[in-house]
Amino acid sequence: MGFQRQADTVWYTRSFNFQLKMMDHYSTIAKALAYIQENRKNQPGLDEIAKHLHMSPFHFQRIFSEWAGVSPKQFLQYINVTHAKELLKKQNSILGAAYTTGLSGSGRLHDLFVKLEGMTPGEYKNGGKYLEICYSFGNSRFGDYLVASTSQGVCNLFFYEESREKALREVQAQWPQAKLTEQETPLHTNVKRFFENKLENKAVIPLHLKGTPFQLKIWEALLQIPEGQLQSYTDIATTVGKPEHRRAAGTAIAKNPVGFLIPCHRVIRSMGIVGKYRWGSTRKTAMIGWEAAQKKIPSA
């Protein structure tokens, strides 16, 4: 028993140190990506970006490579418009065949670890009056987040920049009558492990979501997008059998209540532009580039 407690202590210490390190790195990455986007016409080089961040080029490259697993130069190739267009073109060519058997069984990470279930109207009527929701705060390689869950699964995951209080108010606005308790549950621990790519193969993160039937279909479709790949809003609408409802699909994607676990960041505009994101386009760009780097997607 003592050995198990010691092992748990070691894991939590390593996890905490990892989160702090990645969070600190993300702050640097976000500033760098924002600068690159603001000055994309001039295509700033490594030295210029490092100077903007008040770092030496060597230090900046080390931090960036530690966070992304690839050099800044390679990462920028993963997030440029040409690369995005190539990915969209490949996805368009396989969409029909990929979804003829329905939304299931692809064997990708999100399919293995994340399972979506819609709430019944009775579970969320009157602002969640009869729901008990636990929430906790965490750090990830993509910044600070708040995760909230019912007894059946995660219902919200919001990234935030300003304060914990503001993030909590957003949850309270969604569930004004629910009983909210600050408590980290085993499910929240699994979310941390998911961000670290350390979730065991048999683990599952259930999602317990409030949404219309159309929204739930859209969010389920998002789970089918392979890591490192991208789809357009039209692609997603087509996937759920409503190609003419591109705008409605876009609205449903924008209302995704669970960041990253439901990978709405993998949906971009058809011309290859990253576009808006509920938690900031810079964060979306970071997620897209990081996933491509992990999958070693060939850059255009």
Side-chain angles (χ1 to χ4, degrees):
M1 196 69 176
F3 175 79
Q4 183 59 51
R5 282 198 298 269
Q6 184 179 17
D8 288 343
T9 300
V10 170
W11 181 84
Y12 278 111
T13 300
R14 288 177 177 173
S15 176
F16 180 72
N17 290 337
F18 170 87
Q19 298 289 358
L20 285 181
K21 188 175 185 180
M22 288 301 105
M23 176 55 198
D24 184 54
H25 284 3
Y26 176 71
S27 178
T28 300
I29 301 305
K31 290 175 184 176
L33 292 179
Y35 182 76
I36 291 166
Q37 290 173 332
E38 291 168 6
N39 299 274
R40 56 184 176 276
K41 290 185 179 179
N42 299 325
Q43 297 184 333
L46 177 67
D47 290 355
E48 182 182 340
I49 299 168
K51 183 179 180 181
H52 173 74
L53 297 173
H54 307 291
M55 291 181 175
S56 69
F58 172 80
H59 186 47
F60 171 64
Q61 172 129 353
R62 182 181 64 79
I63 285 178
F64 201 106
S65 299
E66 231 174 42
W67 180 86
V70 296
S71 69
K73 181 178 180 181
Q74 181 66 59
F75 190 90
L76 292 180
Q77 292 176 335
Y78 286 138
I79 62 174
N80 67 34
V81 173
T82 301
H83 180 63
K85 285 182 176 179
E86 285 298 313
L87 289 179
L88 289 177
K89 188 187 301 181
K90 291 177 182 177
Q91 284 301 107
N92 286 336
S93 68
I94 65 172
L95 261 180
Y99 294 104
T100 53
T101 58
L103 299 175
S104 63
S106 65
R108 292 183 291 268
L109 186 147
H110 275 76
D111 295 319
L112 289 173
F113 291 128
V114 181
K115 301 298 180 185
L116 184 156
E117 179 183 338
M119 292 184 184
T120 65
E123 288 174 312
Y124 63 78
K125 69 180 181 180
N126 300 323
K129 185 175 181 179
Y130 302 107
L131 279 177
E132 293 187 7
I133 296 176
C134 293
Y135 69 90
S136 64
F137 299 92
N139 309 108
S140 75
R141 65 175 70 251
F142 305 113
D144 291 324
Y145 67 87
L146 181 158
V147 59
S149 61
T150 69
S151 60
Q152 293 179 255
V154 172
C155 57
N156 294 112
L157 194 157
F158 297 146
F159 293 96
Y160 65 92
E161 296 285 351
E162 298 177 21
S163 69
R164 291 184 170 189
E165 289 73 22
K166 185 175 181 180
L168 180 56
R169 286 197 297 271
E170 190 172 358
V171 173
Q172 290 170 330
Q174 289 211 351
W175 310 104
Q177 300 300 320
K179 178 184 177 182
L180 297 180
T181 303
E182 184 171 2
Q183 177 184 343
E184 182 173 319
T185 70
L187 182 56
H188 298 182
T189 301
N190 277 348
V191 170
K192 283 186 178 180
R193 289 178 178 268
F194 185 90
F195 273 117
E196 297 175 25
N197 278 340
K198 293 179 180 178
L199 198 60
E200 292 82 0
N201 288 336
K202 293 182 180 180
V204 173
I205 298 178
L207 305 181
H208 194 211
L209 305 182
K210 174 178 67 175
T212 66
F214 181 75
Q215 287 174 330
L216 292 171
K217 285 181 69 175
I218 291 294
W219 299 337
E220 185 182 16
L222 297 176
L223 292 173
Q224 306 302 308
I225 306 174
E227 285 185 301
Q229 299 296 330
L230 303 171
Q231 288 188 10
S232 70
Y233 294 94
T234 300
D235 292 337
I236 295 298
T238 301
T239 296
V240 300
K242 302 287 184 181
E244 71 280 9
H245 292 167
R246 177 180 60 83
R247 289 183 181 276
T251 299
I253 291 168
K255 291 184 177 180
N256 170 25
V258 179
F260 193 68
L261 296 182
I262 297 179
C264 59
H265 57 278
R266 297 177 192 164
V267 183
I268 66 172
R269 295 166 64 181
S270 57
M271 63 282 292
I273 297 172
V274 167
K276 295 180 180 179
Y277 184 56
R278 183 169 182 171
W279 298 285
S281 60
T282 297
R283 198 184 315 273
K284 181 177 181 178
T285 301
M287 290 176 174
I288 289 172
W290 183 83
E291 289 189 333
Q294 307 319 298
K295 289 297 182 180
K296 301 294 186 294
I297 304 295
S299 57

